Amino acid sequence: MFENIHIFHTNDVHSHFENWPRIREFLLSKKKEHEENGEEVFLFDIGDHVDRWHPFTEATIGKGNIHLLNEVGYTAVTIGNNEGITLPYDDLDSLYTDADFDVIIANLYKKDGSRPNWALPYRMYQTKSGVKIGVTAVTANFKKLYGILGWDLVEPFKELSNQIKQLKNESDILILLSHLGIHDDEKIAKLYPEIDIILGGHTHHILQQGKHIDHGGTTLLGAAGKHGNFVGYIRLKVSSDNHDVIDKQAKLYETRNLPSPLNEKNEIASFYDEGKKMLYQEVVNLPVKLSTEWFKASPLPQILCEAIEEWCDADCAFINAGLVLDDLEKGIVTKYDLHKILPHPINPCIVELNGAELQKVIFQTFDSKWPSFELKGLGFRGTILGNFVYHNITFHSIEQRLYINGSPLEEEEIYRLGTVDMYTFGHFFPEFLTAKKQYFMPEFLRDVMAWKFRKEYGK
């Protein structure tokens, strides 16, 4: 005799609500079907459901996402870096106040060493037949950024080891919700053969039939890509006698092939419209139109570059024009307008470099590859980088010399370069990797632009 256990999972939805109506109806239908057959169903989200690029999420500070998860009846979720480091401390601390599901995250602590009252290090679920399913979760190790926001993030492998010791003798089945990425998931499967299933995310990988990692037994990895393009499913066949796992199989359902609910287009539009309406709060009244161009000089990218330098108290600054996605018309500018042109969850930062290093970096920005470079990830929600824009950085072509804030660059002098955090996460400039960095959080670029406008134009 055996028991079927059904597990559905999503990850890295990133507030792509264009897929949500189909996901919701599909999960509700499957949940009802299996429960009517007397079989156990579990629904898990592996983090980064919240993404503030979308007006609905921005306006509700993520709580709208929680309402959507409640509607479906999720069993548990964990957090990704978009929940963890794009929300101010108080907003993350209150994000799950109305959640009807468990929030499992083992490696997040408060600064005093206690856990947030909404966060469980693990949860033990038990089926009607007595099968005990232990679930724990860890999230990506952006320790420094969590620390700036007021949290303490423990190295995930260290914390996971502690949780495995606790759970392995108490559980018939052990499941990890991992917002670490495919490479860490494969490593974990080999290090901890006690884990039966790892449901992953963060690196947006797609595992159509899952991935079996053999180590005497097998650990099954599952992952469903990004943006709700897929819904993951795992079926476990478990012995009714000794609760051993007899078989485990994974598959993905492609969302575009799922049934379309009634009024789907209207519902998708309503998410955007509701967020836009809530963000209709005046920031400034502009006396003139401010335009943006990606391949030539224009006012808005230049204003943003100046604002970052001032906000960070830097010696000079540069950004890429492609950060600013549209113009601002003369007249009232609202929070929605700023969100529309700067939707990125990107923070300003300072990078400290000596003159020789700064010169190498600036010369790299002159490379003709950058303006048309298509960037995905690192918080960037645009399409291409566009030209680099500078403030207090001048290159005299005749002298072949750089000037910083009007003075010749000195190779031994230390400079504070104002820029954006995404350059420090990727491999744009090798000199950034070992440089001293200071991140300004929780403010995003749109917040810095609003501050600049109020300073220049008042409200």
Side-chain angles (χ1 to χ4, degrees), residues 32 47 49 55 69 79 113 131 158 162 175 185 188 222 260 278 280 292 297-298 303 317 344 348 350 361 410 415 445:
K32 180 181 179 183
H49 192 283
L69 292 165
I79 70 169
V131 176
K158 177 182 177 182
N162 294 333
I175 297 175
D185 289 352
I188 288 168
S260 172
M278 287 187 281
Y280 196 79
T292 186
S298 60
I303 292 170
H344 330 279
I350 285 281
V361 169
E410 299 292 339
Y415 294 94
L445 299 183

Side-chain angles (χ1 to χ4, degrees), residues 178-191:
S178 166
H179 198 87
L180 299 183
I182 181 64
H183 300 300
D184 279 349
D185 289 352
E186 291 174 345
K187 184 177 178 181
I188 288 168
K190 294 172 183 176
L191 285 173

Side-chain angles (χ1 to χ4, degrees), residues 138-176:
V138 285
T139 197
N141 192 27
F142 292 100
K143 183 176 180 64
K144 181 175 182 178
L145 302 182
Y146 277 93
I148 294 170
L149 291 170
W151 300 102
D152 182 26
L153 196 74
V154 173
E155 198 283 319
F157 279 74
K158 177 182 177 182
E159 185 63 48
L160 182 59
S161 181
N162 294 333
Q163 299 306 320
I164 297 296
K165 290 176 185 176
Q166 172 78 19
L167 288 170
K168 66 180 181 180
N169 295 322
E170 300 177 16
S171 310
D172 298 308
I173 298 169
L174 188 50
I175 297 175
L176 171 64

Side-chain angles (χ1 to χ4, degrees), residues 23 48 73 143 181 235 243 295 305 307 371 384 411 437:
I23 291 173
D48 277 4
K143 183 176 180 64
R235 180 187 60 81
H243 298 167
F295 301 113
C305 190
I384 60 174
E411 290 194 352
K437 294 174 279 286

